[in-house]
Amino acid sequence: MSINVMIVDDSAVVRQVLSEIFTASSGITVMDVATDPIVAMEKMKQHWPDVIVLDVEMPRMDGITFLKQIMASRPTPVVICSSLTQKGADISVQAMAAGAVEVIAKPHAGVKQFLQDSNNLLVQAVKAAATARMSRMRTLPPTPMETRPKLSADAVLAAPTGQQMFQTTERIVAIGTSTGGTQALEAILTTLPRTCPGLAIVQHMPEKFTASFAERLDRLSEIEVKEAATGDRILPGRALIAPGGKHMMIKRSGAYYQVEVVDGPLVSRHKPSVDVLFRSAAKFAGRNALGIIMTGMGDDGARGLKEMHDAGAKTIAQDEDSCVVFGMPKEAIKLGAADEVMPLDNIAKAICR
């Protein structure tokens, strides 16, 4: 069954190129286009789309206001396609909080060529959005799938050797998530007390978005939330979020833990990759760690969580009913990687235990 898409963008070039890309793709139909949200609302009175591809900065009504109206009246998967200035990143994080399922970052210059070069990413973003359970949205960052070879965590970090890590009093938590994860993380982090163990988090998100995302969560939470930098300590009451476009690894420093942020190839088609984070936790923390895999499309993190499990860490997968997309947790459960499967509302309590 074809996915009916509406494109809402004030740029005629963007509307034309996106229409050509989606029309050429199997399984997607461009139902209509609109120059701004006002025009879109009139057209949607006649036919409602399955997915909306939406710009943020537009005349008459901005994309976030339109998004909030959609989510209040008839929740529908929305893919944000927005330019990436710092201001744009802040606005797009607000869009995620308001219920956007995917985000595609387009440049200010060379937009037509960028869209043409990113046709597979755009098509997969729409198809991923169409699978989202909007009833699970609490009011979402991209899960781009690439055509290049799918690499494992071996491309960044060697596998654990099986040697036991000595235990310390330090306890750390590694969390991996993707589609639907921005809201899931907000639900967890805003309820954690300052006495909770330190957290290292990978949320699939574009470069420049993670700083704004971390700043927003820091304002809302009792704990400290920051975009990670190499050398940052994983401390009680602190959550470190991997920067977009970089991998993050947990490293041991004596009896303490810190993170290392590195470049490298895509792993499981992502950077940052949950598999890289989880492998590092398995290798350098072992039974001192708790691994949690949450809502997201694909299988990034499933093998890494199994490595954590095999290294003696406690492991948790979010259950299907509370996931926006039950992809990553499902794959982890199939591998036997999860000690427990639980709803989102129970995860914060599990972290505190």
Side-chain angles (χ1 to χ4, degrees), residues 3-153:
I3 302 166
N4 290 318
V5 174
M6 170 172 276
I7 300 165
V8 185
D9 198 300
D10 60 327
S11 167
V13 172
V14 171
R15 294 195 304 273
Q16 177 187 348
V17 175
L18 288 179
S19 295
E20 291 171 354
I21 289 170
F22 295 143
T23 299
S25 172
S26 174
I28 299 178
T29 299
V30 178
M31 186 188 81
D32 216 331
V33 299
T35 55
D36 62 46
I38 304 299
V39 174
M41 284 192 289
E42 287 301 315
K43 293 186 174 185
M44 288 163 63
K45 289 178 181 178
Q46 304 299 321
H47 302 286
W48 200 274
D50 299 317
V51 176
I52 300 169
V53 178
L54 179 64
D55 190 16
V56 172
E57 297 180 354
M58 290 178 289
R60 298 211 290 174
M61 180 186 290
D62 66 89
I64 292 180
T65 300
F66 182 45
L67 173 63
K68 289 178 179 177
Q69 290 187 6
I70 292 168
M71 294 305 163
S73 60
R74 185 171 171 177
T76 302
V78 173
V79 174
I80 294 292
C81 194
S82 175
S83 296
L84 265 182
T85 59
Q86 181 57 46
K87 179 182 176 183
D90 293 338
I91 291 172
S92 295
V93 168
Q94 294 176 37
M96 295 176 201
V101 174
E102 300 282 355
V103 175
I104 301 294
K106 66 184 180 185
H108 279 292
V111 174
K112 181 176 181 180
Q113 188 62 49
F114 168 80
L115 294 175
Q116 291 171 338
D117 293 342
S118 305
N119 64 329
N120 188 62
L121 184 152
L122 291 158
V123 167
Q124 293 300 327
V126 166
K127 290 183 176 180
T131 68
R133 297 177 169 193
M134 299 311 295
S135 61
R136 299 301 177 196
M137 298 300 284
R138 299 199 161 216
T139 13
L140 279 157
T143 53
M145 302 296 287
E146 301 271 341
T147 56
R148 68 189 80 181
K150 184 177 179 181
L151 302 178
S152 73

Side-chain angles (χ1 to χ4, degrees), residues 131-255:
T131 68
R133 297 177 169 193
M134 299 311 295
S135 61
R136 299 301 177 196
M137 298 300 284
R138 299 199 161 216
T139 13
L140 279 157
T143 53
M145 302 296 287
E146 301 271 341
T147 56
R148 68 189 80 181
K150 184 177 179 181
L151 302 178
S152 73
D154 292 338
V156 177
L157 181 66
T161 61
Q163 296 178 342
Q164 292 293 317
M165 294 294 298
F166 71 86
Q167 282 194 272
T168 75
T169 56
E170 291 289 303
R171 295 290 183 268
I172 62 171
V173 180
I175 298 178
T177 185
S178 186
T179 308
T182 54
Q183 294 180 326
L185 286 172
E186 181 177 325
I188 292 171
L189 298 187
T190 56
T191 61
L192 290 176
R194 292 186 181 180
T195 54
C196 75
L199 302 99
I201 299 168
V202 164
Q203 160 72 58
H204 293 158
M205 189 174 280
E207 188 177 355
K208 299 182 182 178
F209 277 57
T210 41
S212 297
F213 180 55
E215 289 168 7
R216 181 177 184 277
L217 288 177
D218 186 62
R219 291 193 299 269
L220 296 173
S221 306
E222 182 178 334
I223 67 171
E224 177 192 7
V225 184
K226 72 180 294 286
E227 184 183 58
T230 293
D232 280 346
R233 285 269 305 275
I234 304 175
L235 299 170
R238 169 188 268 188
L240 300 174
I241 296 178
K246 301 285 186 180
H247 292 301
M248 182 173 73
M249 297 184 289
I250 294 169
K251 292 296 181 74
R252 187 76 166 260
S253 178

